[in-house]
Amino acid sequence: PGEGSGTDRAHTNHAALEAGTAFGAGLVGQALRFDGSDDLARIASTRTSRFAGPFSVEFWFNPSATIDAGTPNRVLLAKGRFDFNGAPAPRSLRALGGDGRLLLQLPGVLMASTTGTWPAGSWQHVALTFDGTLYRLYVNGTQEAQAASTESLLDHDADLVLGNAEGFGAAAFAGLIDEAALYGRALSAAEVQSLFAARDLGKCTATYSRADAGADQAVGLGATVTLDGTGGAKYYLNGRL
């Protein structure tokens, strides 16, 4: 999530922060801050970041300057490159230059969001899911595009990169990326909506050793809670006792 390091809190896909990638105030705690020049976060290609099956990736981003139809390419996530009409192109999810919409591009896939303006200083949630035959792109909890394919964005031996695409420095992203997460399955629309709705509650912001630590304790989405049954506490899940 970018809490002062590139450490992966859920697995071992730790990110190496390169070229001065720093931290800034995130939606949840700290976020990765990219300068739009050469900054990037690199996640090594391993069995848990390279595979051909279903996956999902989701994160929040906040651009330093408004991204719209007058903006060059701005890469949010990339993994390798491929030949596109005789020229190299990044396998990536990026804001399309001269257009503004988010574009997923990889062999046989060109899929774009309907949203094409991303205001500076505004947090936006993006989720990309792949079930093995169909990609779906969600923006702020709503599906905006889909494309049929059996080509996995992750099934490439190049490292997974946030905020840039190696060899395409002119397309670097300037701004913040927070709460980036990779899943080994396709999230449902309801799950994506829940992640968006959580906003600054986040996924991994708290660990409670006692659920009766105080009155009306709310737990952030994805937090770990130990229910010890002491103190006459009552526990609710989705509003039910």
Side-chain angles (χ1 to χ4, degrees), residues 49-143:
S49 63
R50 178 193 177 180
F51 49 90
F55 74 89
S56 300
V57 61
E58 52 93 16
F59 54 88
W60 293 86
F61 78 97
N62 184 339
S64 298
T66 296
I67 297 174
D68 55 23
T71 307
N73 285 305
R74 291 290 179 255
V75 175
L76 296 170
L77 179 150
K79 200 173 198 297
R81 62 176 66 191
F82 72 106
D83 181 84
F84 182 70
N85 294 334
R91 299 163 53 95
S92 65
L93 179 64
R94 68 182 189 271
L96 180 60
D99 184 290
R101 292 178 297 168
L102 290 186
L103 176 75
L104 174 68
Q105 184 179 23
L106 61 152
V109 179
L110 282 172
M111 179 179 74
S113 66
T114 55
T115 300
T117 299
W118 316 94
S122 177
W123 286 103
Q124 312 287 336
H125 186 257
V126 175
L128 176 69
T129 70
F130 176 62
D131 65 8
T133 60
L134 189 70
Y135 282 97
R136 292 181 172 89
L137 179 63
Y138 298 82
V139 174
N140 293 330
T142 300
Q143 183 179 330

Side-chain angles (χ1 to χ4, degrees), residues 39-50:
D39 287 359
L40 61 87
R42 180 191 305 277
I43 301 164
S45 184
T46 68
R47 66 179 183 83
T48 53
S49 63
R50 178 193 177 180

Side-chain angles (χ1 to χ4, degrees), residues 1-2 5-17 32 41-51 56 79 154 159-162 180-184:
S5 75
T7 300
D8 177 3
R9 293 188 174 186
H11 210 278
T12 57
N13 292 314
H14 308 307
L17 309 183
L32 295 172
R42 180 191 305 277
I43 301 164
S45 184
T46 68
R47 66 179 183 83
T48 53
S49 63
R50 178 193 177 180
F51 49 90
S56 300
K79 200 173 198 297
L154 297 182
D159 295 336
L160 182 63
V161 174
L162 296 176
L182 174 64
Y183 306 80

Side-chain angles (χ1 to χ4, degrees), residues 1 14-15 17 20-21 29 34 44 53 100 152 159 162 166 168 177 195 200 207 216 222 232:
H14 308 307
L17 309 183
T21 301
F34 301 90
S152 171
D159 295 336
L162 296 176
E166 292 185 282
F168 300 90
I177 293 179
L195 288 163
D200 56 358
T207 298
D216 300 325

